[in-house]
Amino acid sequence: MLKALAQAGYTTPVTEIHLQRQPVFPGAEVARAYRVPTYLKDLPRTHALITFAEAVPGPVALGAGRHIGLGILAA
């Protein structure tokens, strides 16, 4: 997750990262249940709770699927 943050250009320090398979928000799917293009099928999928040391303007988008609507984090 730290590598994904750096690759996406986020430099604000992170104080906590929690990864989980189960959704964070009601109505969301288990991370592996989301359909992805073939080139992303073998990459890990997870839900993440990330706490930054200070406010970060959003939306935050991370990972290889961030340009196709995956990896979007809500405040």
Side-chain angles (χ1 to χ4, degrees), residues 7-72:
Q7 288 175 336
Y10 295 98
T11 58
T12 303
V14 171
T15 58
E16 184 177 0
I17 297 175
H18 177 76
L19 305 176
Q20 63 187 46
R21 293 182 200 179
Q22 298 304 317
V24 176
F25 299 110
E29 297 284 339
V30 173
R32 294 293 302 177
Y34 285 98
R35 292 173 46 188
V36 297
T38 304
Y39 72 96
L40 294 176
K41 285 204 183 286
D42 293 331
L43 296 177
R45 284 175 261 163
T46 186
H47 292 286
L49 295 169
I50 302 173
T51 305
F52 291 94
E54 56 191 59
V56 172
V60 173
L62 300 175
R66 71 183 179 274
H67 299 293
I68 61 165
L70 299 172
I72 307 297

